[in-house]
Amino acid sequence: MDVTELSERIRADDPAMGLRAVGALHRLAEQVEAVSVALAREQGWTWEQIGDALGMSRQSVHAKYGK
């Protein structure tokens, strides 16, 4: 689903279409977050720095992405 299709679904009167668009956005956000966390760790960021950037505790970020 591309940005134009997402935009159209968000404006649709059908809540099912809007909810599917929300799901797609959540999945995309999770992918971007995972890639960004991995990159930050590769660049030497601490779990605390990453947590601060995401508005999460370092423990939560580590539990989600730590090995």
Side-chain angles (χ1 to χ4, degrees), residues 15-35:
M17 290 181 72
L19 292 169
R20 283 193 295 273
V22 169
L25 289 169
H26 279 289
R27 288 187 296 278
L28 176 59
E30 287 290 325
Q31 292 172 359
V32 171
E33 182 179 282
V35 168

Side-chain angles (χ1 to χ4, degrees), residues 17-66:
M17 290 181 72
L19 292 169
R20 283 193 295 273
V22 169
L25 289 169
H26 279 289
R27 288 187 296 278
L28 176 59
E30 287 290 325
Q31 292 172 359
V32 171
E33 182 179 282
V35 168
S36 297
V37 168
L39 182 60
R41 291 296 294 161
E42 288 173 12
Q43 294 182 6
W45 285 40
T46 65
W47 290 114
E48 185 171 9
Q49 289 172 306
I50 296 167
D52 286 346
L54 291 172
M56 300 169 65
S57 71
R58 65 180 169 81
Q59 294 92 342
S60 294
V61 175
H62 184 265
K64 188 172 182 178
Y65 295 106

Side-chain angles (χ1 to χ4, degrees), residues 1-9 24:
M1 186 176 309
D2 66 15
V3 175
T4 302
E5 188 177 356
L6 280 172
S7 181
E8 289 170 1
R9 286 187 180 201

